[in-house]
């Protein structure tokens, strides 16, 4: 069925039309996963919420801007994908799903996150890239088990100092924001393994050599005057990455890393990160 036909049918609330979109999904799948991505849905069919043993629910690339309160019945849900929709606010019912480990919220219209997000204490991966965030909501700093945070392509200018409370955090992606300086809080997070500040406005990088857990730092496409110093064995992606941290003392050469050399991010919808 073509996307244009799906879009037309999605406007019609009659059961037969919705059943057409869902392709006769009437019973709980054996693999405990429902993937309704790209169905042009404007509402989540309530009967999906009766699949109480559901573990994975993918609703990416639809036209959703709200969720039914019945979603609270899915208390076994571990992965929820809401990226590429029209959410201006995170439905509070999502915060009732306390077994969630991975939450995809990228490519929506979110300007903030509710305080109730702190209830998701099992959350390990949070994708909030490509939204309208001008600041990182402090409630994110209360997700004590968070290991991976994708917050790229927003309008962040700084990070809250409370972020250092996330001692399980290993990977933070901040590319495509409005950072004019390297976030000081990251210097107090020795457990970080990957830091991505690609495509910002950072002019100077402090030394990162004291971060014992660091494995990769991506700092390309910044108007920086220097490369960040790192410990031996840490990979750098950016200008002068193959030179010493102070290349101008050796030569005037500048080495540019192409985009192809930047590690690819995992798929935005179905990557199950460790």
């Amino acid at each position: 069925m073509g996307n244009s036909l799906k879009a037309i049918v999605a406007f019609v609330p009659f059961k037969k039309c919705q059943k057409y979109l869902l392709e006769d999904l009437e019973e709980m799948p054996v693999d405990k996963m429902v993937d309704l991505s790209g169905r042009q849905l404007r509402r989540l069919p309530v009967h999906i919420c009766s699949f109480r043993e559901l573990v994975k629910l993918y609703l990416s690339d639809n036209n959703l801007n709200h969720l039914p309160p019945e979603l609270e019945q899915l208390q076994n849900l571990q992965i929820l994908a809401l990226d590429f929709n029209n959410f201006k606010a995170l439905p509070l019912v999502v915060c009732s799903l306390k077994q969630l480990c991975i939450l995809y919220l990228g490519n929506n219209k979110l300007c903030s996150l509710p305080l109730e997000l702190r209830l998701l204490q099992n959350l390990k991966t949070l994708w909030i890239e490509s939204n309208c965030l001008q600041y990182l909501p402090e409630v994110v700093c209360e997700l004590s088990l968070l290991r991976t945070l994708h917050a790229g392509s927003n309008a962040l200018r700084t990070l809250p100092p409370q972020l250092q409370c996330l001692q399980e955090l290993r990977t933070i992606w901040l590319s495509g924001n409005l950072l004019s300086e390297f976030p000081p809080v990251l210097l107090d997070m020795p457990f970080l393994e990957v830091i991505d500040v690609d495509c910002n406005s950072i002019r100077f990088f402090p030394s990162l050599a004291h971060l014992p857990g660091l494995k990769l730092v991506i700092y390309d496409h910044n108007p920086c005057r220097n490369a960040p110093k790192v410990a031996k064995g840490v990979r750098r992606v950016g200008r002068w990455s193959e030179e010493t941290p102070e290349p101008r003392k050796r030569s005037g050469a500048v080495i540019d890393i192409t985009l192809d050399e930047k590690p690819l991010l995992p798929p935005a919808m179905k990557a199950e990160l460790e």
Side-chain angles (χ1 to χ4, degrees):
M1 167 170 51
N3 285 336
S4 58
L5 180 57
K6 285 184 179 180
I8 295 174
V9 174
F11 275 104
V12 184
F14 296 130
K15 290 184 178 180
K16 289 185 178 179
C17 294
Q18 296 302 304
K19 186 175 181 180
Y20 183 55
L21 288 170
L22 296 177
E23 299 178 358
D24 295 323
L25 180 60
E26 296 292 342
E27 298 181 359
M28 171 73 185
V30 176
D31 59 3
K32 299 182 180 181
M33 180 186 76
V34 169
D35 188 351
L36 298 178
S37 301
R39 303 293 183 92
Q40 300 292 328
L41 296 175
R42 295 181 178 274
R43 60 179 62 84
L44 175 65
V46 175
H47 85 272
I48 297 297
C49 301
S50 66
F51 300 161
R52 300 198 177 199
E53 299 302 315
L54 203 64
V55 173
K56 305 175 185 178
L57 177 58
Y58 298 101
L59 301 173
S60 308
D61 193 20
N62 282 292
N63 295 305
L64 301 172
N65 56 29
H66 69 280
L67 295 171
E70 289 84 355
L71 189 73
E72 185 178 8
Q73 300 175 31
L74 302 181
Q75 287 301 312
N76 290 302
L77 205 62
Q78 296 180 21
I79 300 176
L80 177 60
L82 299 174
D83 46 334
F84 292 94
N85 276 285
N86 294 317
F87 291 104
K88 294 182 179 180
L90 179 64
L92 291 183
V93 66
V94 172
C95 301
S96 69
L97 305 174
K98 297 182 180 180
Q99 297 303 314
L100 277 183
C101 296
I102 302 177
L103 178 58
Y104 298 105
L105 300 175
N107 290 272
N108 279 285
K109 302 173 182 178
L110 301 174
C111 294
S112 63
L113 293 173
L115 292 177
E116 288 80 357
L117 189 73
R118 62 166 63 107
L119 298 175
L120 301 181
Q121 285 300 307
N122 285 307
L123 205 62
K124 295 181 179 178
T125 299
L126 177 62
W127 294 65
I128 50 176
E129 80 285 0
S130 299
N131 275 286
C132 304
L133 298 171
Q134 296 184 18
Y135 61 93
L136 184 68
E138 292 185 7
V139 66
V140 172
C141 304
E142 299 185 44
L143 303 173
S144 59
L145 295 184
L146 198 66
R147 293 183 59 87
T148 303
L149 175 61
H150 292 260
S153 300
N154 280 286
L156 305 181
R157 296 180 181 274
T158 186
L159 297 178
Q162 296 90 330
L163 193 69
Q164 65 180 305
C165 296
L166 297 182
Q167 297 190 14
E168 297 299 322
L169 194 65
R170 297 294 181 268
T171 303
I172 185 166
W173 306 88
L174 299 166
S175 61
N177 277 287
L178 301 176
L179 300 173
S180 59
E181 66 173 349
F182 187 83
V185 65
L186 300 184
L187 300 176
D188 296 323
M189 302 178 69
F191 31 79
L192 284 174
E193 297 179 356
V194 177
I195 299 175
D196 180 6
V197 289
D198 185 23
C199 296
N200 277 278
S201 300
I202 301 173
R203 294 186 175 276
F204 176 79
F205 280 93
S207 174
L208 306 180
H210 67 288
L211 301 180
L214 194 61
K215 298 178 180 177
L216 170 66
V217 56
I218 305 171
Y219 65 96
D220 209 5
H221 304 99
N222 279 281
C224 54
R225 303 188 303 271
N226 68 314
K229 293 181 180 180
V230 295
K232 185 177 180 180
V234 178
R235 185 186 175 197
R236 298 179 297 179
V237 178
R239 299 177 72 189
W240 313 303
S241 62
E242 301 303 325
E243 298 279 348
T244 63
E246 298 177 351
R248 292 177 185 173
K249 292 184 178 180
R250 293 186 56 199
S251 69
V254 173
I255 297 179
D256 289 318
I257 301 299
T258 65
L259 286 175
D260 290 337
E261 292 178 76
K262 180 179 177 181
L264 295 176
L265 293 180
M269 287 188 286
K270 295 185 181 179
E272 296 185 35
L273 303 178
E274 295 181 355

